Amino acid sequence: MIEKLYKYSLTDKDLFENIVDDENLRLNHVVIESGKFFPRHKTDAHVYIIILKGQLSIEIGEQEEKRFGKGDVINIPFGVDSKLGNDTDTITEAFVVKIDPDK
């Protein structure tokens, strides 16, 4: 078999799981419960966030917080300070694609 099959969890509970981790790309699956935020941090890769459910609040660099929703794809460049989380009453689910900046 040439193809690889990857599975991710189907849940509404808080979750952070690594689905793919190869030499230049990482794919994470996150489910963020209401009121949860990831601490402010510098991105360690070129980041693309694909929102599947709910809404995601993001502060990027010095910009004011913005909210993105289901169907949005957001790019956060490498090395940028950011904070993201869920400030709504429902869950947020997303895939986070990280591409190594050196590749």
Side-chain angles (χ1 to χ4, degrees):
M1 184 154 73
I2 296 171
E3 74 276 2
K4 290 183 182 179
L5 174 64
Y6 300 94
K7 294 199 179 246
Y8 64 94
S9 300
L10 301 175
T11 183
D12 286 342
K13 301 294 181 195
D14 202 46
L15 173 78
F16 182 94
E17 64 183 339
N18 189 309
I19 306 301
V20 176
D21 191 354
D22 71 20
E23 62 190 56
N24 63 351
L25 180 134
R26 285 170 280 158
L27 174 64
N28 299 315
H29 174 230
V30 294
V31 178
I32 308 167
E33 292 179 340
S34 178
K36 180 170 181 186
F37 278 79
F38 292 95
R40 182 171 287 282
H41 63 285
K42 287 199 182 292
T43 54
D44 60 353
H46 300 288
V47 177
Y48 297 85
I49 303 170
I50 305 163
I51 302 174
L52 305 173
K53 288 183 190 174
Q55 295 186 353
L56 186 67
S57 294
I58 304 177
E59 290 178 23
I60 301 172
E62 299 299 318
Q63 296 182 63
E64 289 191 25
E65 181 178 292
K66 295 178 185 174
R67 189 178 285 171
F68 301 93
K70 178 180 177 179
D72 289 338
V73 179
I74 305 101
N75 170 238
I76 304 173
F78 169 71
V80 174
D81 200 34
S82 63
K83 175 184 173 186
L84 56 95
N86 179 0
D87 63 357
T88 69
D89 293 337
T90 61
I91 67 158
T92 298
E93 182 175 15
F95 282 114
V96 180
V97 178
K98 293 184 170 188
I99 300 171
D100 187 334
D102 297 327
K103 301 293 176 181

